Amino acid sequence: MIFDVMTLFPEMVENYFQYSILKRASDGGIITVNTINPRDYTENKHKKVDDMPYGGGAGMVLMPQPYVDAYESIPKLENTLTIMLSPQGEPLTDKVVNELGQYEQIIMLCGHYEGFDERIREIIKPREISIGDFVLTGGELPALCLIDAVSRKIEGTLGKIESADEDSFSNGLIEYPHYTRPREYRGYKVPEVLLNGNHKEINEFRLQKSIERTKARRPDLYEKYLQSHNKP
Ligand code: 4GS
């Protein structure tokens, strides 16, 4: 899968793929991450990418020319999706992540500090996605969140030990508690059921804990879980 990230700070994005699981996925050719810097596509001699907003107000606005030209320079495969990261987008969820995993190529537009000139949206018509209801200084972290979440679902990215199917959300619930050695730490004991080797009992215990936690911490997810299991 190819990820093309349009950013004014390519190193911020590239560095993330030099570590751990996503380094292995990049080295193994499971994912390819390219960066495109709109500043390299400016047509003015000062390489300006932003300017003051028409109508006044605080902050600068990213100019259409460098973004549209940079976008048009990217080679496109058949099955390509273009995404703009912004708080005005649809929320990124596990369901959206699964949907994005179906594309061969995802092109992402990151802003930094300022907003996009609306004509960038009108011309490129990206799908707009938000990673949460808060405001960051740039779209780079949201792009990295998206690439990370999509990449870890691709066959071959996670090894057996990091398997994705028992993680939170894969069954609509948040995760059960985990324990490792020692069996007792500062008087706190590992639940007995995890030590008895009975996998049916262990699975029941874990599911019960997942349900309890989801009900207490995420009543919104708990409602959906009940509905999908027809247990009103
Ligand atoms: C998000 C977000 C974000 C908005 C980028 C202000 C710089 C910033 N992008 N999900 N300009 N939340 N973007 O905060 O996607």
Side-chain angles (χ1 to χ4, degrees):
M1 191 162 181
I2 299 174
F3 298 97
D4 295 299
V5 186
M6 295 175 53
T7 169
L8 297 170
F9 301 95
E11 281 121 333
M12 283 180 66
V13 172
E14 286 155 9
N15 287 339
Y16 189 67
F17 299 91
Q18 295 179 32
Y19 305 93
S20 185
I21 295 170
L22 295 185
K23 173 177 167 53
R24 193 174 65 201
S26 312
D27 290 350
I30 293 168
I31 60 167
T32 301
V33 180
N34 303 314
T35 54
I36 302 92
N37 190 343
R39 199 177 295 281
D40 296 336
Y41 293 82
T42 49
E43 283 176 344
N44 58 79
K45 79 165 184 264
H46 299 290
K47 297 193 174 186
K48 234 164 89 82
V49 295
D50 55 7
D51 209 332
M52 287 151 61
Y54 278 121
M60 300 287 270
V61 177
L62 295 165
M63 296 168 7
Q65 181 273 318
Y67 277 84
V68 171
D69 285 352
Y71 177 73
E72 289 178 345
S73 80
I74 300 171
K76 318 259 186 331
L77 299 176
E78 219 50 351
N79 185 19
T80 295
L81 177 72
T82 302
I83 293 173
M84 176 183 278
L85 285 315
S86 107
Q88 296 139 65
E90 71 183 294
L92 185 63
T93 59
D94 187 60
K95 181 166 167 252
V96 172
V97 168
N98 287 332
E99 234 176 277
L100 301 183
Q102 304 310 304
Y103 291 90
E104 288 179 277
Q105 178 185 27
I106 296 182
I107 302 172
M108 279 154 283
L109 286 92
C110 306
H112 210 92
Y113 314 120
E114 52 280 268
F116 294 99
D117 184 301
E118 191 61 20
R119 290 162 297 181
I120 297 174
R121 290 185 176 86
E122 289 169 344
I123 293 165
I124 296 177
K125 298 185 175 66
R127 180 164 172 182
E128 211 160 324
I129 292 181
S130 166
I131 64 156
D133 291 342
F134 42 81
V135 181
L136 300 167
T137 57
E140 287 78 13
L141 282 172
L144 290 172
C145 288
L146 188 152
I147 299 170
D148 189 304
V150 172
S151 298
R152 70 186 283 292
K153 299 235 188 191
I154 301 174
E155 182 82 30
T157 297
L158 298 187
K160 251 197 245 125
I161 32 165
E162 304 127 358
S163 170
D165 32 84
E166 287 191 13
D167 283 328
S168 298
F169 306 119
S170 60
N171 59 2
L173 297 169
I174 58 176
E175 267 185 81
Y176 53 79
H178 301 271
Y179 296 89
T180 186
R181 284 186 286 195
R183 284 168 81 132
E184 184 174 338
Y185 179 69
R186 296 196 178 183
Y188 291 80
K189 291 185 173 125
V190 176
E192 203 55 43
V193 56
L194 299 177
L195 308 172
N196 73 8
N198 182 335
H199 289 283
K200 185 168 178 286
E201 263 185 47
I202 290 172
N203 288 338
E204 280 165 9
F205 170 82
R206 287 176 168 170
L207 178 61
Q208 195 46 48
K209 288 289 173 195
S210 277
I211 293 172
E212 272 171 30
R213 283 200 164 179
T214 307
K215 190 175 178 187
R217 299 181 188 188
R218 292 295 303 273
D220 57 324
L221 293 182
Y222 183 66
E223 266 323 299
K224 280 191 202 160
Y225 174 76
L226 288 183
Q227 278 159 24
S228 71
H229 286 71
N230 279 323
K231 284 186 260 172

